Amino acid sequence: MGDVLTGVWTDLVGQEKAVGVLRRAVESQPGRFSHTMSHAWLVTGPPGSGRSNAAKAFAAALQCDNHGCGQCNACRTSLSGAHPDVTLVRTETLSIGVDEVRELVRRAALNPVHGRHQVVVIEDADRITERGADALLKAIEEPAPKTVWLLCAPTPDDVIVTIRSRCRRLHLATPRDEAVADLLVRRDGIAPQVAAEAARAGQGHIGRARRLAWDEEARARRDAIGDLPTRLRSLGDCLRAAEDLVNQAGEEAAAATTEVDAAERAELEKALGFGSSGARPRNAQAAIRDLERQQSARLKRLQRDALDRVLTELTAYYRDVLAIQIGAVRPEEENALRGARLVNAGWSASLHRVADSHSPEHTVATIDAILDARQSLERGVTAVLVMETLLIAMTGADRARW
Ligand SMILES: [Zn+2]
């Protein structure tokens, strides 16, 4: 299986099957579309499985004279986003609207500069609005001969039905921990032991695993989440911890956006002609308000993502607790095939304490409460309120006691 992942495909660990499909499509008939090739693809897979990397590798292979050697100029520029015939759409905002889609459709219809394909990769096709989808539909139904659309989304259900029904689907698997660990060692030079722990804690999310391997602060934040279930002893603890989690998510989001925000603002002001003559063009205020709205939406989304990671960690924690409670844990030292492996083996003492002090029913109820919290956040319920409710449920209180 190892020889499938060479050239541009090298880092798509755990995706040998999908890569095989893409390679056959690339190699099928150069310049012509056949039953293995299609003008529109929908690449789905869980977060962190490498959807956009798979799409970019596919784009590179389509532009490369050697089907994705990974070395040539076409490969390198396709992967970096600098290839003139590869458009990478990576939106930070909450939706991709009709104007943006129309512009993409226009670009997709252009003749490729280098004569092979005109490829458009949309990383978050699930954010295309209904009107945007209408604009895209015709382009996908009657594509220009050399155009290839590569749409990425978590699941097919996330994409508007008229679009997904016209795409060839490709699903990526959740990569196994061992494959992620190997990648961290090989590509990022992480020590094997650290890589193995980070891969396990990352739960199949390659970017998350990499972050945990590199970033001490990320590890510390994760450890703090692991402490929560044993640390909350009073209503006051829960309220304080909820506030801390929400503030921390806000700080994380701000740290990730402050610089980009300023750069975007400066670029817009320059484009609007600020600074040179001192005159303010008429539409300047509207354009700036528009940018500010998008930036604030991005900040909110990143904050929600950070809280969502907290929920993912807690889900894994209580799944481990449940495995202990029902005696389904696979022995660490053996190559046993039966039972579940603990995601958080490093927190063994804390897991056992919680497992001993609560019933399996309470654990199941807690996992349900985490799912409820996730849905509430998606519905836009105030974050602090959601986290307070969850943390209180986690303690299993008996609120009369407090
Ligand atoms: Zn190449």
Side-chain angles (χ1 to χ4, degrees):
M1 273 215 311
D3 65 337
V4 181
L5 300 182
T6 56
V8 290
W9 316 105
T10 309
D11 290 345
L12 297 172
V13 292
Q15 310 301 346
E16 284 79 2
K17 203 173 143 215
V19 168
V21 172
L22 294 176
R23 287 186 84 150
R24 279 194 295 283
V26 172
E27 289 162 15
S28 58
Q29 285 162 41
R32 280 174 51 207
F33 289 86
S34 60
H35 65 286
T36 49
M37 190 50 200
S38 163
H39 283 286
W41 293 70
L42 177 56
V43 182
T44 58
S49 58
R51 294 185 300 252
S52 60
N53 287 337
K56 278 188 275 189
F58 189 28
L62 286 168
Q63 304 292 14
C64 170
D65 290 331
N66 295 306
H67 302 153
C69 67
Q71 309 291 326
C72 71
N73 196 46
C75 279
R76 279 186 286 116
T77 51
S78 296
L79 293 174
S80 74
H83 195 291
D85 302 325
V86 177
T87 305
L88 303 179
V89 183
R90 188 156 189 260
T91 184
E92 297 286 359
T93 52
L94 292 173
S95 63
I96 302 176
V98 63
D99 292 339
E100 202 175 339
V101 172
R102 282 201 187 118
E103 171 59 21
L104 291 171
V105 168
R106 194 190 61 77
R107 285 198 65 160
L110 297 175
N111 235 343
V113 176
H114 293 314
R116 292 189 74 91
H117 298 279
Q118 189 63 256
V119 187
V120 183
V121 179
I122 302 183
E123 287 195 4
D124 304 288
D126 48 318
R127 299 207 192 125
I128 297 174
T129 61
E130 297 254 358
R131 285 187 62 211
D134 286 343
L136 182 57
L137 194 57
K138 204 168 153 50
I140 287 182
E141 278 181 323
E142 299 162 28
K146 290 177 176 173
T147 301
V148 182
W149 292 90
L150 304 179
L151 312 179
C152 307
T155 73
D157 288 342
D158 296 320
V159 177
I160 290 171
V161 59
T162 49
I163 297 295
R164 72 165 181 261
S165 64
R166 284 163 180 83
C167 291
R168 175 146 183 220
R169 294 188 200 174
L170 182 81
H171 189 71
L172 301 186
T174 300
R176 287 181 311 116
D177 295 347
E178 291 78 3
V180 175
D182 284 348
L183 178 69
L184 295 179
V185 171
R186 175 169 54 75
R187 186 188 63 186
D188 303 311
I190 310 273
Q193 179 62 31
V194 177
E197 275 170 31
R200 201 186 267 206
Q203 300 173 62
H205 191 305
I206 296 169
R208 176 90 182 123
R210 182 170 184 273
R211 179 104 187 259
L212 287 170
W214 270 118
D215 183 349
E216 221 170 290
E217 244 178 72
R219 276 203 299 273
R221 273 199 299 269
R222 181 170 180 277
D223 286 341
I225 297 167
D227 280 346
L228 277 177
T230 49
R231 193 161 58 83
L232 304 173
R233 294 173 185 286
S234 68
L235 182 60
D237 285 350
C238 291
L239 302 187
R240 263 189 306 277
E243 201 185 342
D244 287 349
L245 286 172
V246 173
N247 287 342
Q248 219 169 61
E251 283 162 23
E252 233 184 295
T257 53
T258 308
E259 242 172 79
V260 189
D261 283 358
E264 284 173 349
R265 172 98 182 204
E267 200 179 311
L268 179 65
E269 289 185 352
K270 201 171 134 213
L272 291 168
F274 277 36
S276 48
S277 63
R280 295 277 192 272
R282 259 190 297 150
N283 288 331
Q285 278 318 313
I288 286 174
R289 266 202 307 277
D290 203 43
L291 178 70
E292 284 171 350
R293 219 179 37 234
Q294 286 188 25
Q295 290 181 339
S296 131
R298 169 170 62 197
L299 185 73
K300 276 202 196 102
R301 183 164 69 78
L302 288 177
Q303 182 172 17
R304 210 178 60 189
D305 288 352
L307 283 175
D308 199 69
R309 275 199 298 280
V310 172
L311 299 181
T312 303
E313 301 287 7
L314 288 173
T315 309
Y317 184 100
Y318 282 100
R319 215 174 49 206
D320 283 350
V321 169
L322 191 63
I324 293 170
Q325 286 173 327
I326 63 177
V329 179
R330 193 196 302 190
E332 270 297 311
E333 59 284 353
E334 298 165 39
N335 251 351
L337 291 173
R338 269 193 308 182
R341 279 207 327 209
L342 293 181
V343 172
N344 305 294
W347 297 339
S348 183
S350 152
L351 292 170
H352 276 95
R353 244 175 81 195
V354 172
D356 290 345
S357 57
H358 294 284
S359 65
E361 289 75 20
H362 171 254
T363 307
V364 172
T366 303
I367 293 172
D368 279 345
I370 299 170
L371 293 176
D372 286 347
R374 175 164 283 147
Q375 281 167 4
S376 299
L377 285 178
E378 273 167 17
R379 283 204 315 271
V381 180
T382 315
V384 174
L385 191 63
V386 172
M387 299 312 282
E388 284 173 1
T389 309
L390 171 61
L391 296 186
I392 292 167
M394 259 166 55
T395 62
D398 203 2
R399 254 167 282 178
R401 213 164 35 126
W402 288 348

